[in-house]
Amino acid sequence: MGTRQTKGSLAERASPGAAPGPRRERPDFWASLLLRAGDKAGRAGAGAGLPPYHRRVGMVQELLRMVRQGRREEAGTLLQHLRQDLGMESTSLDDVLYRYASFRNLVDPITHDLVISLARYIHCPKPEGDALGAMEKLCRQLTYHLSPHSQWRRHHRGLVKRKPQACLKAILAGSPTDSTVDLSGIPLSPRDLERVTNYLQRCGEQVDSVELGFTGLTDDMVLQLLPVLSTLPRLTTLALNGNRLTRALLRDLTDALKDPSKFPSVTWIDLGNNVDIFSLPQTFLLSLRKRSPKQGHLPTILELGEGPGAGEEVREETVGQEDPGGEPVTPAKEGSESVAQT
């Protein structure tokens, strides 16, 4: 009986002494394929396909590989695709590298600062020091921020090695740990939402923070949770990042925040790294400010131009802001390469 021949073995037999040629790369095709996949998922509805963070993390990893191979021009093109996918409005290099660009995407300022730092390293490489090492660090930080990592926090509770449903069952069986309901990274089904709703109704008086990032939530699923979330008396932070949420949900959240009896203690709702939520309405931010007037660190949005006066005002508002994960956010400045540390 004959053996099955693979394409690789046939190629080796055809030229046994020949050295393998360079691998043909098609980065533009790769990037466009990722973007088309995201567009296809978007046309199919917010509940279809994978959450956009899968695509974005893949683009960051491919970008780093290009830089390691010295293909900076192609890496710059892929970075432009990534910027567009993250909703950074301008594709102009000057706007990305310099002063006012850091205030365009205030829904997720950490990602924005990291992308700006990547642009500086790719387009303005410095000969001294370990530039590649700095690039690798930035890509690690961006990958970490754009992907689920709550399992590191759950490690100390002995849940990290369990299956997602076992983790969910264990969390909902006890009282909130440190006043936090952390379900991030656990895929939730409509049936799971009923269990989560019942748990929050039962333990709501003890809950300060609810982590629902990277759980596969859609707009309809959040709307299902909204009645119970909005009535939690002590809830201060709500994380909905890394899901499949769209701008349509912002209208419902903004309407809820207009009512002082809903979300009475909330200071921040994290909506970063979703489908197309790239900025937050002024009404949304002002409603949060009314609930936490002493905080004074909520971001604002430049709606009437980006002149020097407006830029300084936003800089004052943003400095000192903390990400819901506890990381300080420092707006990117010209020539600055510091980013939030992981």
Side-chain angles (χ1 to χ4, degrees):
M1 296 187 60
T3 59
R4 184 179 179 181
Q5 299 290 341
T6 64
K7 292 182 179 179
S9 62
L10 288 173
E12 291 171 1
R13 284 172 35 174
S15 53
R23 182 181 177 183
R24 296 182 63 185
E25 308 270 355
R26 297 186 65 186
D28 291 338
F29 171 77
W30 188 92
S32 62
L33 182 62
L34 285 174
L35 293 172
R36 287 201 301 270
D39 293 340
K40 183 177 180 181
R43 289 193 298 269
L50 293 172
Y53 77 83
H54 287 273
R55 177 175 68 252
R56 291 162 185 166
V57 168
M59 295 174 81
V60 173
Q61 294 172 344
E62 176 69 3
L63 187 149
L64 178 59
R65 189 174 69 86
M66 291 177 177
V67 172
R68 284 172 174 165
Q69 295 174 352
R71 297 154 55 201
R72 289 185 175 271
E73 183 176 348
E74 296 172 6
T77 300
L78 184 54
L79 179 62
Q80 181 178 347
H81 291 311
L82 178 61
R83 295 201 315 265
Q84 292 172 328
D85 197 35
L86 289 168
M88 296 174 72
E89 298 173 6
S90 176
T91 59
S92 164
L93 178 59
D94 288 340
D95 286 343
V96 170
L97 292 181
Y98 299 111
R99 188 171 184 179
Y100 303 114
S102 61
F103 307 112
R104 288 182 179 274
N105 194 17
L106 293 176
V107 71
D108 190 355
I110 293 178
T111 292
H112 207 239
D113 280 354
L114 288 168
V115 170
I116 289 172
S117 297
L118 276 178
R120 289 197 183 101
Y121 274 101
I122 290 175
H123 295 287
C124 310
K126 295 184 177 181
E128 70 277 4
D130 185 6
L132 180 58
M135 272 285 302
E136 291 175 340
K137 181 179 179 181
L138 283 171
C139 288
R140 284 197 306 270
Q141 290 176 318
L142 190 54
T143 298
Y144 177 86
H145 187 63
L146 290 176
S147 56
H149 49 263
S150 61
Q151 59 265 31
W152 300 111
R153 295 199 297 272
R154 285 201 291 270
H155 177 71
H156 301 290
R157 286 186 271 169
L159 299 179
V160 71
K161 294 183 179 180
R162 301 188 185 184
K163 293 182 179 180
Q165 286 302 311
C167 288
L168 178 64
K169 184 177 180 180
I171 292 170
L172 299 184
S175 299
T177 303
D178 298 326
S179 301
T180 298
V181 179
D182 183 5
L183 303 179
S184 55
I186 301 176
L188 297 178
S189 67
R191 183 177 180 182
D192 294 331
L193 291 187
E194 296 179 6
R195 299 167 61 189
V196 172
T197 298
N198 293 334
Y199 179 79
L200 291 175
Q201 289 173 337
R202 186 172 69 253
C203 303
E205 296 286 340
Q206 308 172 47
V207 177
D208 292 344
S209 175
V210 176
E211 301 278 343
L212 294 171
F214 304 99
T215 54
L217 293 178
T218 63
D219 292 358
D220 289 339
M221 295 171 77
V222 173
L223 291 177
Q224 183 178 336
L225 289 171
L226 199 57
V228 65
L229 289 172
S230 63
T231 57
L232 299 179
R234 292 175 45 188
L235 180 67
T236 57
T237 58
L238 173 61
L240 299 172
N241 57 306
N243 287 299
R244 291 175 285 178
L245 309 181
T246 70
R247 285 177 293 184
L249 180 66
L250 273 178
R251 291 192 291 269
D252 297 282
L253 289 174
T254 302
D255 289 341
L257 288 171
K258 289 178 182 178
D259 185 348
S261 66
K262 296 180 180 179
F263 294 107
S265 303
V266 75
T267 59
W268 187 244
I269 300 177
D270 185 359
L271 292 163
N273 199 15
N274 277 288
V275 175
D276 60 357
I277 302 176
F278 304 132
S279 62
L280 299 173
Q282 284 283 18
T283 306
F284 182 100
L285 295 171
L286 291 174
S287 298
L288 290 179
R289 182 178 295 282
K290 290 178 182 178
R291 287 164 169 77
S292 55
K294 295 181 180 180
Q295 182 174 335
H297 297 309
L298 292 174
T300 57
I301 298 174
L302 292 176
E303 294 183 332
L304 302 177
E306 297 182 341
E312 292 302 323
E313 179 181 349
V314 174
R315 186 179 303 280
E316 292 174 2
E317 296 284 4
T318 312
V319 170
Q321 178 191 343
E322 285 193 353
D323 181 80
E327 299 179 271
V329 176
T330 303
K333 300 178 183 178
E334 182 174 353
S336 171
E337 295 170 359
S338 63
V339 294
Q341 297 297 316
T342 58

mmCIF file of all heavy atoms in Angstrom, residues 17 24 28 59 77 88 100 105 118 145 153-154 162 181 224 269 295 307 328 340:
data_model
loop_
_atom_site.group_PDB
_atom_site.id
_atom_site.type_symbol
_atom_site.label_atom_id
_atom_site.label_comp_id
_atom_site.label_asym_id
_atom_site.label_seq_id
_atom_site.Cartn_x
_atom_site.Cartn_y
_atom_site.Cartn_z
ATOM 1 N N GLY A 17 18.496 19.159 -2.750
ATOM 2 C CA GLY A 17 19.694 19.887 -2.353
ATOM 3 C C GLY A 17 19.495 21.373 -2.267
ATOM 4 O O GLY A 17 20.422 22.110 -1.941
ATOM 5 N N ARG A 24 7.171 33.892 1.613
ATOM 6 C CA ARG A 24 6.486 35.027 1.014
ATOM 7 C C ARG A 24 5.466 35.579 2.003
ATOM 8 O O ARG A 24 4.603 34.874 2.493
ATOM 9 C CB ARG A 24 5.791 34.599 -0.281
ATOM 10 C CG ARG A 24 6.753 34.153 -1.351
ATOM 11 C CD ARG A 24 6.010 33.781 -2.613
ATOM 12 N NE ARG A 24 5.304 34.916 -3.171
ATOM 13 C CZ ARG A 24 4.502 34.832 -4.229
ATOM 14 N NH1 ARG A 24 4.313 33.678 -4.824
ATOM 15 N NH2 ARG A 24 3.885 35.914 -4.673
ATOM 16 N N ASP A 28 -0.269 43.128 3.951
ATOM 17 C CA ASP A 28 -1.454 43.929 3.648
ATOM 18 C C ASP A 28 -2.685 43.035 3.522
ATOM 19 O O ASP A 28 -3.771 43.387 3.977
ATOM 20 C CB ASP A 28 -1.244 44.710 2.347
ATOM 21 C CG ASP A 28 -0.192 45.796 2.521
ATOM 22 O OD1 ASP A 28 0.024 46.199 3.672
ATOM 23 O OD2 ASP A 28 0.394 46.208 1.512
ATOM 24 N N MET A 59 -3.307 41.701 15.591
ATOM 25 C CA MET A 59 -2.626 42.759 14.855
ATOM 26 C C MET A 59 -1.394 43.262 15.616
ATOM 27 O O MET A 59 -0.359 43.542 15.012
ATOM 28 C CB MET A 59 -3.602 43.908 14.584
ATOM 29 C CG MET A 59 -4.748 43.520 13.667
ATOM 30 S SD MET A 59 -6.009 44.817 13.483
ATOM 31 C CE MET A 59 -5.246 45.864 12.268
ATOM 32 N N THR A 77 2.072 50.604 8.316
ATOM 33 C CA THR A 77 0.778 50.443 7.649
ATOM 34 C C THR A 77 -0.191 49.641 8.511
ATOM 35 O O THR A 77 -1.376 49.987 8.635
ATOM 36 C CB THR A 77 0.974 49.742 6.287
ATOM 37 O OG1 THR A 77 1.844 50.529 5.468
ATOM 38 C CG2 THR A 77 -0.360 49.547 5.583
ATOM 39 N N MET A 88 -9.328 55.628 16.581
ATOM 40 C CA MET A 88 -8.530 56.847 16.644
ATOM 41 C C MET A 88 -8.827 57.612 15.367
ATOM 42 O O MET A 88 -8.399 57.219 14.283
ATOM 43 C CB MET A 88 -7.048 56.500 16.803
ATOM 44 C CG MET A 88 -6.770 55.782 18.111
ATOM 45 S SD MET A 88 -5.072 55.183 18.290
ATOM 46 C CE MET A 88 -4.193 56.717 18.551
ATOM 47 N N TYR A 100 -2.415 66.827 20.521
ATOM 48 C CA TYR A 100 -3.825 66.696 20.866
ATOM 49 C C TYR A 100 -4.389 65.310 20.615
ATOM 50 O O TYR A 100 -5.499 65.028 21.028
ATOM 51 C CB TYR A 100 -4.656 67.732 20.096
ATOM 52 C CG TYR A 100 -4.182 69.133 20.363
ATOM 53 C CD1 TYR A 100 -3.614 69.907 19.358
ATOM 54 C CD2 TYR A 100 -4.278 69.675 21.637
ATOM 55 C CE1 TYR A 100 -3.157 71.182 19.611
ATOM 56 C CE2 TYR A 100 -3.823 70.946 21.900
ATOM 57 C CZ TYR A 100 -3.268 71.697 20.890
ATOM 58 O OH TYR A 100 -2.814 72.942 21.145
ATOM 59 N N ASN A 105 -9.518 59.487 22.150
ATOM 60 C CA ASN A 105 -10.153 58.212 22.441
ATOM 61 C C ASN A 105 -10.261 58.005 23.942
ATOM 62 O O ASN A 105 -9.733 57.061 24.492
ATOM 63 C CB ASN A 105 -9.340 57.077 21.806
ATOM 64 C CG ASN A 105 -10.115 55.776 21.775
ATOM 65 O OD1 ASN A 105 -11.321 55.779 21.920
ATOM 66 N ND2 ASN A 105 -9.420 54.685 21.600
ATOM 67 N N LEU A 118 3.833 53.405 20.468
ATOM 68 C CA LEU A 118 4.233 52.491 19.389
ATOM 69 C C LEU A 118 4.519 53.263 18.109
ATOM 70 O O LEU A 118 5.495 52.977 17.393
ATOM 71 C CB LEU A 118 3.123 51.467 19.137
ATOM 72 C CG LEU A 118 3.081 50.224 20.021
ATOM 73 C CD1 LEU A 118 1.874 49.368 19.650
ATOM 74 C CD2 LEU A 118 4.355 49.416 19.880
ATOM 75 N N HIS A 145 -3.355 44.650 28.029
ATOM 76 C CA HIS A 145 -4.490 45.534 28.273
ATOM 77 C C HIS A 145 -5.684 45.195 27.384
ATOM 78 O O HIS A 145 -6.837 45.400 27.784
ATOM 79 C CB HIS A 145 -4.077 46.989 28.042
ATOM 80 C CG HIS A 145 -5.119 47.983 28.436
ATOM 81 N ND1 HIS A 145 -5.558 48.122 29.732
ATOM 82 C CD2 HIS A 145 -5.834 48.877 27.707
ATOM 83 C CE1 HIS A 145 -6.493 49.071 29.783
ATOM 84 N NE2 HIS A 145 -6.678 49.534 28.570
ATOM 85 N N ARG A 153 -5.766 37.432 38.906
ATOM 86 C CA ARG A 153 -6.336 37.814 40.196
ATOM 87 C C ARG A 153 -7.053 36.636 40.848
ATOM 88 O O ARG A 153 -7.067 36.496 42.057
ATOM 89 C CB ARG A 153 -7.312 38.986 40.018
ATOM 90 C CG ARG A 153 -6.638 40.251 39.539
ATOM 91 C CD ARG A 153 -7.511 41.452 39.831
ATOM 92 N NE ARG A 153 -8.782 41.415 39.140
ATOM 93 C CZ ARG A 153 -8.971 41.889 37.914
ATOM 94 N NH1 ARG A 153 -7.961 42.414 37.234
ATOM 95 N NH2 ARG A 153 -10.156 41.846 37.350
ATOM 96 N N ARG A 154 -7.670 35.773 40.036
ATOM 97 C CA ARG A 154 -8.393 34.640 40.602
ATOM 98 C C ARG A 154 -7.472 33.510 41.029
ATOM 99 O O ARG A 154 -7.889 32.589 41.713
ATOM 100 C CB ARG A 154 -9.408 34.116 39.577
ATOM 101 C CG ARG A 154 -10.630 35.000 39.434
ATOM 102 C CD ARG A 154 -11.773 34.221 38.839
ATOM 103 N NE ARG A 154 -11.526 33.890 37.449
ATOM 104 C CZ ARG A 154 -11.890 34.664 36.429
ATOM 105 N NH1 ARG A 154 -12.498 35.791 36.649
ATOM 106 N NH2 ARG A 154 -11.643 34.291 35.195
ATOM 107 N N ARG A 162 -9.784 25.875 37.072
ATOM 108 C CA ARG A 162 -11.104 25.313 36.826
ATOM 109 C C ARG A 162 -11.654 25.749 35.483
ATOM 110 O O ARG A 162 -11.229 26.738 34.906
ATOM 111 C CB ARG A 162 -12.073 25.746 37.928
ATOM 112 C CG ARG A 162 -11.668 25.326 39.334
ATOM 113 C CD ARG A 162 -12.782 25.620 40.310
ATOM 114 N NE ARG A 162 -12.404 25.339 41.682
ATOM 115 C CZ ARG A 162 -13.222 25.441 42.718
ATOM 116 N NH1 ARG A 162 -14.475 25.840 42.530
ATOM 117 N NH2 ARG A 162 -12.804 25.177 43.947
ATOM 118 N N VAL A 181 -17.617 41.553 42.524
ATOM 119 C CA VAL A 181 -18.096 40.405 41.755
ATOM 120 C C VAL A 181 -17.289 40.374 40.471
ATOM 121 O O VAL A 181 -17.529 41.152 39.546
ATOM 122 C CB VAL A 181 -19.605 40.518 41.450
ATOM 123 C CG1 VAL A 181 -20.071 39.320 40.633
ATOM 124 C CG2 VAL A 181 -20.402 40.622 42.745
ATOM 125 N N GLN A 224 -30.394 43.385 29.687
ATOM 126 C CA GLN A 224 -31.037 42.432 30.598
ATOM 127 C C GLN A 224 -30.534 42.606 32.030
ATOM 128 O O GLN A 224 -31.295 42.433 32.993
ATOM 129 C CB GLN A 224 -30.766 41.003 30.110
ATOM 130 C CG GLN A 224 -31.452 39.927 30.935
ATOM 131 C CD GLN A 224 -31.190 38.532 30.387
ATOM 132 O OE1 GLN A 224 -30.882 38.354 29.200
ATOM 133 N NE2 GLN A 224 -31.299 37.523 31.244
ATOM 134 N N ILE A 269 -17.740 53.764 34.423
ATOM 135 C CA ILE A 269 -18.188 52.596 33.663
ATOM 136 C C ILE A 269 -17.201 52.403 32.524
ATOM 137 O O ILE A 269 -17.072 53.260 31.645
ATOM 138 C CB ILE A 269 -19.620 52.784 33.120
ATOM 139 C CG1 ILE A 269 -20.607 53.009 34.273
ATOM 140 C CG2 ILE A 269 -20.043 51.570 32.299
ATOM 141 C CD1 ILE A 269 -22.036 53.283 33.823
ATOM 142 N N GLN A 295 -14.324 63.737 43.134
ATOM 143 C CA GLN A 295 -13.288 63.015 42.402
ATOM 144 C C GLN A 295 -12.521 63.950 41.481
ATOM 145 O O GLN A 295 -11.306 63.994 41.499
ATOM 146 C CB GLN A 295 -13.907 61.867 41.600
ATOM 147 C CG GLN A 295 -12.876 61.044 40.847
ATOM 148 C CD GLN A 295 -13.511 59.824 40.181
ATOM 149 O OE1 GLN A 295 -14.542 59.341 40.614
ATOM 150 N NE2 GLN A 295 -12.897 59.340 39.136
ATOM 151 N N GLY A 307 -7.904 73.716 20.038
ATOM 152 C CA GLY A 307 -6.949 74.792 20.232
ATOM 153 C C GLY A 307 -6.131 74.605 21.480
ATOM 154 O O GLY A 307 -6.433 73.761 22.319
ATOM 155 N N PRO A 328 -2.608 54.306 36.914
ATOM 156 C CA PRO A 328 -2.719 55.735 36.649
ATOM 157 C C PRO A 328 -2.614 56.024 35.177
ATOM 158 O O PRO A 328 -1.870 55.372 34.460
ATOM 159 C CB PRO A 328 -1.517 56.325 37.413
ATOM 160 C CG PRO A 328 -0.550 55.200 37.512
ATOM 161 C CD PRO A 328 -1.364 53.944 37.591
ATOM 162 N N ALA A 340 1.340 53.489 31.014
ATOM 163 C CA ALA A 340 0.917 52.814 32.228
ATOM 164 C C ALA A 340 1.626 51.483 32.358
ATOM 165 O O ALA A 340 1.759 50.740 31.393
ATOM 166 C CB ALA A 340 -0.600 52.616 32.207
#
